[in-house]
């Protein structure tokens, strides 16, 4: 594995790793948190993204995507009647951005949150920090290696 690593949360009832596998690629849109937006903008072509199923039983890492296009202005911010419309965003000065993710793998071993918490090498992972609710976050090379081994 090379490049930068990330974790992106999604609710499987809304969009799961199976949905990504079926679509092959998707614009990772509708993120409305400034720090998460900054991470989305920082993603580079080829970066690896662990797909995390949140608000699920069980929650955990389900698979892997790759950044297949750098972030563009998130089109949902301009949809007047849409849930993610932002009146302060303009085409000249967009506020929200979305990269394209391409499906890479559904892990043979789903890695549940309890299993992640057991790993000494993941203690510093942002996902596991108290109060961390960010939907997009960086993952270190060491953490990515541990996750990859757990995934089989």
């Amino acid at each position: 594995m090379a490049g930068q690593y990330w974790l992106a949360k999604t609710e499987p009832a809304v969009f799961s790793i199976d949905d990504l596998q079926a679509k092959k690629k998707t614009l990772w849109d509708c993120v409305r948190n400034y720090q998460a937006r900054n991470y989305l903008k920082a993603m580079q072509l080829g970066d690896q993204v662990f797909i995390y199923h949140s608000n699920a039983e069980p929650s955990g890492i389900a698979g892997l995507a790759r950044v297949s296009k750098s972030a563009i202005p998130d089109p949902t911010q301009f949809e007047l009647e849409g849930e993610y419309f932002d009146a302060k965003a303009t085409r000249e000065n967009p506020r929200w951005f979305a990269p394209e993710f391409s499906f890479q793998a559904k892990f043979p071993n789903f890695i549940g949150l309890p299993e992640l918490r057991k790993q000494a090498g993941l203690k510093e992972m942002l996902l596991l920090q108290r109060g961390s609710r960010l939907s997009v976050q960086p993952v270190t090379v060491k953490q990515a290696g541990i996750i990859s081994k757990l995934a089989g």
Side-chain angles (χ1 to χ4, degrees):
M1 296 172 79
Q4 176 68 46
Y5 304 96
W6 306 92
L7 181 135
K9 294 180 183 177
T10 181
E11 295 183 17
V14 177
F15 192 84
S16 70
I17 192 69
D18 294 325
D19 295 322
L20 181 57
Q21 184 174 18
K23 283 187 78 172
K24 306 284 188 246
K25 58 186 173 183
T26 191
L27 199 59
W28 206 257
D29 57 6
C30 303
V31 174
R32 295 298 185 266
N33 172 284
Y34 287 105
Q35 184 60 56
R37 183 257 339 247
N38 294 342
Y39 288 143
L40 290 171
K41 283 177 68 176
M43 290 179 176
Q44 300 292 314
L45 203 59
D47 284 357
Q48 301 291 307
V49 184
F50 294 103
I51 303 299
Y52 182 88
H53 286 174
S54 65
N55 291 330
E57 281 302 322
S59 290
I61 300 175
L64 186 69
R66 180 180 58 82
V67 177
S68 49
K69 287 188 183 169
S70 298
I72 62 168
D74 180 343
T76 64
Q77 68 191 307
F78 306 120
E79 296 170 357
L80 285 171
E81 302 300 322
E83 179 182 354
Y84 296 97
F85 174 71
D86 186 332
K88 293 182 181 177
T90 65
R91 301 221 181 254
E92 299 76 32
N93 191 21
R95 297 177 80 178
W96 308 106
F97 293 83
E100 181 185 83
F101 291 173
S102 292
F103 175 80
Q104 293 296 292
K106 180 175 178 178
F107 290 155
N109 301 321
F110 179 88
I111 312 165
L113 186 57
E115 181 65 22
L116 293 168
R117 290 192 188 286
K118 288 181 195 174
Q119 306 303 313
L122 298 180
K123 294 282 188 231
E124 300 300 316
M125 190 173 180
L126 285 178
L127 175 71
L128 304 179
Q129 301 308 303
R130 187 184 248 346
S132 176
R133 297 182 42 83
L134 209 53
S135 64
V136 178
Q137 48 196 252
V139 173
T140 68
V141 172
K142 178 183 172 190
Q143 293 164 352
I146 293 167
I147 292 166
S148 295
K149 284 181 185 158
L150 292 170

